[in-house]
Each structure stands twice: as structure tokens, then as C-alpha cells.
Amino acid sequence: NGFRIDVAAPGFEKENFKVLMEGDTLVIKAEAKAQNEEEKVKFTRKEFSYSGFERKFILPEFINKEVVNAKYNNGILSIELSKATEAKFVKEIQIQ
């Protein structure tokens, strides 16, 4: 009935993701930033971390781009794509 794309992304939260449909391309972006600060009497220690990725998938024309569902659970982003109802284009070609 369709396709499913699973992306393993441990350490990310649901809010870190953006899933976009750009024409015939499915774009998955994730970005996470963290800051840790420790203050002591003689020093202050700050740590910054950044992680992110972007993946693009060119979809076949028989995918229904209006019906795309995404779920994030336990470090795995699952995207479900359904097939469009088949509307076959048939045209007879004249032979010359």
C-alpha cells in the first residue's frame, strides 16, 4: 500500500526534526544544540555541542504527496508514504 522510511536518530527529540516535501523530494532535517555550564569559585566551565543531519529522498511519481505521516518513538523517526490511486495514462501512438 505504500512505503516506510525509518531513520535511527538516538539523542534527538521530536522537536529537533523538520520533515518537508519539496516538489518530488522528501527532506528530513534534524538539529540539536546543548549547552552545559558549571561555575566554581575559581573557574567557570562551559560546554557546547551541536549535532545535525539532513537527508533527501527523491520520490517516485506514484507516491501520494498529500498523505505523509511521521512518528518519532524511542530514537526512531518513521515516515509512512502511501501510493497514489493508480491513474494510468494511456495514449495510442500513431505509426507513420
Side-chain angles (χ1 to χ4, degrees), residues 4 10 16 30 34 38 40-41 48 66 72 77 84:
R4 188 172 87 195
N16 299 134
E38 177 184 354
K40 298 270 180 157
V41 175
F48 302 92
E66 299 295 323
Y72 185 72
L77 175 68

Side-chain angles (χ1 to χ4, degrees), residues 25-53:
T25 305
L26 177 71
V27 180
I28 303 169
K29 297 179 183 182
E31 185 177 290
K33 298 177 185 177
Q35 179 178 341
N36 200 2
E37 186 173 327
E38 177 184 354
E39 291 190 29
K40 298 270 180 157
V41 175
K42 293 188 177 190
F43 69 90
T44 299
R45 181 177 60 90
K46 292 183 179 183
E47 293 181 12
F48 302 92
S49 66
Y50 171 83
S51 59
F53 66 88

Side-chain angles (χ1 to χ4, degrees), residues 54-82:
E54 180 176 325
R55 300 290 182 269
K56 294 183 178 185
F57 299 92
I58 298 173
L59 302 175
E61 58 187 53
F62 55 83
I63 293 295
N64 185 350
K65 295 169 186 72
E66 299 295 323
V67 182
V68 179
N69 297 309
K71 293 181 194 173
Y72 185 72
N73 190 22
N74 295 330
I76 298 178
L77 175 68
S78 294
I79 300 171
E80 294 182 3
L81 306 159
S82 62

